[in-house]
Amino acid sequence: MDDYFIANPDPAAFKDFIRSNEQSLTLAQPLWEMNEQMAFVHDPGLVVNVKTGQFMNTQSFLTSTGNRLVTERKLNDDGTISMKSKPLPPAWMKWPLRREHGKITYLPGQQTTPEEFNTWAGWKSAPVKGDVSKFLALIDHIFSTATKDDKTWFLRWLAYPIQNPGAKLYTAAVLHGAKKGTGKSFIGYCMREIYGTNWTEIKQDDLESTFNEWSVNKQFILGDDVTGNEARSFADKLKHLITRKENRINRKFLPTYVVPDCVNYLFTSQQPDAFFLEDGDRRFFVHE
């Protein structure tokens, strides 16, 4: 302070300096508390609830129900103290110490830098030794007409992304059969107990939608009872989903952003023509 006044002896200049750089001490605790819950991601310019993973555009964040009021205490020029209520989110957005990340990513089981906000929420189940005979009995039932090599391939297809989190296999598995209740989808539901929130179930309408919120933060997707689409354009889109390395997230009312694509697909159908496949197509493992 002494050095400042030697260089700038004018009291009015000091007052202007203080007012242009002031931070309210009475807002310190609410701001730090919000920092524990929220973060701003520069690319694509979103606010994220780090505890729930919910994303909001900045306007929604500033005007949402989370726009709670806090009391700010101000010292006036005449020495009196005034109390004023003000919304916390706008103050947090202007706060130089707000929590920030450069971009969003989705990297299962991997450590990331502070520059990245990793949306992977972890596994639902921890690996423990136990009896898996019932699950293997289900596999034997579904693959009773398959060769041993095909059954082994499918089990390894299920296991590899768990042993190697985030692995993209570039091949989708398709189980089809005319009868209902044979257990095709139940295999997918068993995987849900491992993946947790990284798992979801979709229908044909989801695959044909222009929005892909269903793919956000997902590693395993069960496409249950796919009805089929003979259009080549849809077939090309589906093949792209299976093999792409990046996923451009397109959600309603939010800007798009790109993350690594870690999704592997298990499809079930009662129709033998559910997919438009060409001879020699290597993107699908099909079992009837």
Side-chain angles (χ1 to χ4, degrees):
M1 293 294 291
D2 293 340
D3 293 337
Y4 177 86
F5 283 123
I6 291 175
N8 304 277
D10 184 5
F14 176 68
K15 184 178 292 187
D16 291 339
F17 171 77
I18 290 296
R19 285 177 171 170
S20 64
N21 292 275
E22 66 179 343
Q23 295 183 37
S24 174
L25 290 178
T26 55
L27 295 183
Q29 182 173 341
L31 287 171
W32 283 109
E33 289 175 351
M34 180 161 281
N35 239 25
E36 292 293 321
Q37 183 180 11
M38 313 301 296
F40 180 77
V41 186
H42 286 276
D43 182 11
L46 290 172
V47 177
V48 58
N49 186 317
V50 299
K51 298 185 181 297
T52 65
Q54 178 187 6
F55 284 101
M56 293 175 282
N57 60 51
T58 54
Q59 186 61 32
S60 297
F61 172 68
L62 294 174
T63 59
S64 67
T65 56
N67 197 355
R68 60 188 179 97
L69 297 177
V70 292
T71 301
E72 181 181 27
R73 185 172 61 181
K74 303 263 311 180
L75 179 64
N76 302 317
D77 291 340
D78 60 3
T80 60
I81 295 177
S82 61
M83 309 294 285
K84 182 180 180 181
S85 293
K86 65 182 302 181
L88 183 60
W92 181 82
M93 286 293 292
K94 298 177 181 178
W95 190 37
L97 300 179
R98 70 181 181 189
R99 180 174 175 177
E100 296 183 350
H101 299 277
K103 65 177 183 178
I104 303 168
T105 191
Y106 182 72
L107 295 172
Q110 299 184 34
Q111 295 290 332
T112 56
T113 66
E115 175 70 11
E116 300 172 311
F117 179 74
N118 190 357
T119 58
W120 187 63
W123 303 106
K124 179 180 180 179
S125 302
V128 294
K129 291 184 178 181
D131 181 12
V132 296
S133 59
K134 290 185 177 180
F135 180 74
L136 294 179
L138 173 63
I139 298 296
D140 289 339
H141 168 66
I142 295 295
F143 285 84
S144 60
T145 59
T147 66
K148 181 180 178 180
D149 287 344
D150 284 348
K151 183 170 66 174
T152 299
W153 186 95
F154 181 74
L155 282 172
R156 290 176 175 174
W157 181 85
L158 292 175
Y160 190 86
I162 300 172
Q163 298 167 338
N164 302 271
K168 181 82 170 177
L169 298 180
Y170 307 113
T171 302
V174 181
L175 305 178
H176 79 91
K179 293 183 179 180
K180 295 183 179 181
T182 56
K184 301 186 296 295
S185 301
F186 189 57
I187 294 177
Y189 296 140
C190 290
M191 303 308 294
R192 177 180 59 186
E193 298 307 307
I194 299 175
Y195 284 100
T197 58
N198 305 287
W199 180 102
T200 196
E201 180 179 356
I202 60 174
K203 299 293 185 181
Q204 184 75 22
D205 292 344
D206 296 310
L207 292 171
E208 296 177 350
S209 173
T210 57
F211 298 103
N212 63 348
E213 188 165 356
W214 48 267
S215 68
V216 175
N217 304 336
K218 297 297 179 284
Q219 291 172 261
F220 191 99
I221 290 181
L222 171 64
D224 190 33
D225 197 20
V226 176
T227 58
N229 190 320
E230 296 182 358
R232 182 178 294 272
S233 59
F234 176 76
D236 292 341
K237 176 182 179 180
L238 192 60
K239 293 175 183 178
H240 178 64
L241 292 177
I242 295 170
T243 59
R244 67 185 180 185
K245 295 183 178 181
E246 292 185 331
N247 184 9
R248 178 169 292 278
I249 303 299
N250 184 16
R251 307 168 73 175
K252 290 182 180 180
F253 312 118
L254 292 177
T256 62
Y257 58 92
V258 176
V259 296
D261 192 314
C262 305
V263 179
N264 295 300
Y265 295 87
L266 171 64
F267 296 107
T268 67
S269 179
Q270 293 180 259
Q271 308 299 326
D273 58 350
F275 297 98
F276 184 91
L277 303 182
E278 299 174 341
D279 292 342
D281 198 316
R282 300 176 62 183
R283 295 179 180 87
F284 294 90
F285 167 85
V286 183
H287 171 65
E288 179 182 7

